[in-house]
Amino acid sequence: MSKRYTITAALPYTNGPIHIGHLAGVYVPADIYARYLRLTGNDVAFICGSDEHGVPITIKAKKEGVTPQDIVDKYHAIIKKSFEDFGVSFDNYSRTSAKIHHDTAQNFFKTLYDKGEFIEEVTEQLYDEKADQFLADRFVTGTCPKCSNEEAYGDQCEKCGSSLNATDLINPKSAITGNVPTLKQTKHWFLPLDKHEAFLKEWILKGHKKDWKPNVYGQVKSWIDDGLRPRAVTRDLDWGIPVPVEGAEGKVLYVWFDAPIGYISATKEWAERVGKDWEPYWKDENTKLVHFIGKDNIVFHCIIFPAMLKAEGSYILPDNVPANEFLNLEGNKLSTSKNWAVWLPEYLEDFPNQQDVLRYALTANAPETKDNDFTWADFQAKNNNELVAIFGNFINRVVVLTDKYYNGIVPSPSNFTQVDEEVLAAIKAYPDVIASSIERYRFREASQELMNLARLGNKYLADEEPWKVIKVDEERTKTIMFVALQIASALATLSEPFLPFTSDKLKNILSVTSSAIEMSWEDISTKNVLLPTGHQIGKAELLFSKIEDEAIQQQLDKLIASKKANEAANKTVEPQKDTITYDDFSKLDIRVGTILEAEKMPKANKLLVLKVDTGIDVRTIVSGIAESFSAEEVIGKKVTVLVNLAPRALRGVESQGMILMTENAEGKLVFVNPDDKSVANGLHIS
Ligand SMILES: [Zn+2]
């Protein structure tokens, strides 16, 4: 039966592009769900938008010397394009800097304010004297009172997921100046979550929410059991949505107050555009509201936002919040700041038109019940062993043989064998099997069922061997090809939620794009014939292509480069030595020289004995660089030489000077060349 759905996907934060972790955790599962519901005839509003307020954007703007608006404009465009490129089928992708959102969020606040749902309180908040600014959220870091993580933020600890107030932090430190903050009085509005505790308990713990994923239910239960406290929903900041009441000058709405309201404003914007009424999507009890998020957003979607909606009074509450765990990359946590990620724009440059491969690899390995690891080896295997070898191979054989034997016309079957009957019955069962997994938010399982249908086709052809049978029994061959074509046709429709680009291609190949022959999800279960005798299909076209080892190695090399750059950036820079005078400096005689000869010092791992042309003379210098260079490598190199260093005997050889070197990212000594990108700032010349 057709139903109305409002599906939201977490608003991506506009301080960078999006990566595979975002796609796997939120956007691919949400898109599979939305596409499936549309295919099964439901009324769907699939909503998302850019989250453009909050402290990290102002920090980034300051760092780059641009305005916060510049930052959000830049990343909003990049993120929006990535979603389009990867076929994420939002009905609307909006942004929280849009006027419609400012109005909606302010009205929402005003309604709660007028109803007396806030506590207005002057409290002491953390203040940075030097920056002349209050510190909240990401402007302040410190130790988490719950798990002792020393890098917790003023609003949340990313390690244990706890939602925090800035004043909860132990040893707080300003992220702007590094100063220890003082306390200063300021007025704010608080949402008394404690007041909503009874309702939340009833709704989540005793209600029907036991069908929520165990990880989500467990987290929410532990927060409620811990006891909820009032939470400030306003901030002393200049970037955000102004608090729309008197006496709130210079204050804006807390980003986590305004962001979820973004789902509502984006729905309004969409409804206006397509000439619909937005209200049933948010206010009709028969609408099913589902929030797709990552696990770090559970508290906001399962406690704070529902409390806000409940306090407002006219909204429905989410039916489910199928939050995913985190995806790791090659054994390490995905990180924007450490560039430990696969960015979507870069992926498409390296693997053009292979969006479905990534969608499939991420779904088949989705972090649904625990953190999971994305590896390039697994990505390659999913493509080569499943998409190419099973799905693509089956379709290619069916289409090529149909073209070869019947000029692309679906043949007429004669008697079905028991195997044929079983296969035809199995096709009819697949829509329900896949649907049941999708409706329980088990997308990984659903994707494997889809692949099982392709497996069935592949096995059927391998067992029946039409390419052999055609030599002895033309009628039997027609029946085999007819059955195989029915499987291909079912795959074209059932793959759409998972592999939208492949589904389109396959529908084109099978010429089932016209409305006369296009089938719905349900048709596959109910119709006896999906692709009728006499229907003309098109030419074969490869759906997937093999990914070679070199392409995978290139990706691994990129990650190794990130790792090395991080290690270099993390090298501790030693404090500056005591000041010297110009006279001290002028005592150093540094010249450019050329290494003429080099050989290893016997029985010394580190030492090379060099003959260096200094321009003054050719002299012997013993240098501790043998672990970084072979003797052959350095011959002919131009070097910087300290020529008036007092001679010194090393292993019986007198060294008459010193070659100046520094370290690169790998800890290898290199000749001094500040243009070398692998050399970090602050490293010693020695
Ligand atoms: Zn913590």
Side-chain angles (χ1 to χ4, degrees), residues 144-149 152 157-162 164:
C144 171
K146 301 237 164 88
C147 76
S148 303
N149 165 27
C157 169
E158 288 191 337
K159 196 162 173 206
C160 69
S162 295
L164 302 171

Side-chain angles (χ1 to χ4, degrees), residues 403-581:
D403 187 48
K404 186 171 162 195
Y405 300 157
Y406 314 115
N407 293 319
I409 294 169
V410 179
S412 169
S414 42
N415 295 330
F416 291 127
T417 63
Q418 195 190 335
V419 172
D420 300 341
E421 298 281 9
E422 279 167 16
V423 167
L424 291 170
I427 298 174
K428 287 188 175 182
Y430 269 98
D432 281 351
V433 169
I434 297 173
S436 154
S437 295
I438 293 179
E439 283 173 13
R440 286 176 297 135
Y441 309 103
R442 296 185 180 178
F443 301 102
R444 185 182 174 140
E445 186 181 276
S447 72
Q448 293 319 292
E449 291 298 347
L450 174 75
M451 193 51 72
N452 283 340
L453 176 57
R455 263 191 197 102
L456 175 78
N458 222 23
K459 181 171 187 313
Y460 178 75
L461 276 191
D463 289 349
E464 300 301 320
E465 300 182 300
W467 47 89
K468 281 189 184 164
V469 177
I470 186 113
K471 292 170 195 154
V472 292
D473 188 345
E474 289 200 11
E475 284 310 303
R476 175 63 194 148
T477 309
K478 284 183 189 168
T479 307
I480 297 170
M481 291 312 300
F482 177 86
V483 172
L485 280 158
Q486 306 310 309
I487 304 175
S489 162
L491 279 171
T493 295
L494 296 179
S495 64
E496 205 226 276
F498 309 91
L499 309 167
F501 299 94
T502 306
S503 167
D504 274 354
K505 246 181 172 176
L506 183 50
K507 284 177 185 165
N508 255 319
I509 295 171
L510 298 176
S511 308
V512 292
T513 46
S514 75
S515 55
I517 192 111
E518 196 174 22
M519 74 211 74
S520 72
W521 191 274
E522 203 190 345
D523 288 342
I524 297 165
S525 297
T526 55
K527 283 189 176 172
N528 282 326
V529 173
L530 300 173
L531 218 49
T533 299
H535 174 73
Q536 170 82 56
I537 68 166
K539 294 279 180 195
E541 191 187 328
L542 283 186
L543 292 180
F544 305 101
S545 47
K546 196 167 173 237
I547 293 174
E548 302 294 341
D549 292 348
E550 294 76 58
I552 295 302
Q553 192 55 49
Q554 272 180 19
Q555 298 303 320
L556 293 172
D557 289 346
K558 266 195 196 178
L559 288 174
I560 291 167
S562 286
K563 190 168 247 173
K564 284 179 179 162
N566 284 326
E567 281 164 10
N570 288 339
K571 277 242 161 76
T572 37
V573 172
E574 291 162 42
Q576 185 180 305
K577 291 181 183 171
D578 291 342
T579 307
I580 58 166
T581 63

Side-chain angles (χ1 to χ4, degrees), residues 589-593 612 614 621 639-643 657-660:
D589 192 342
I590 302 175
R591 311 243 174 166
V592 174
V612 180
T614 62
I621 295 177
V639 288
T640 320
V641 195
L642 177 60
V643 292
M658 183 193 256
I659 310 264
L660 303 190

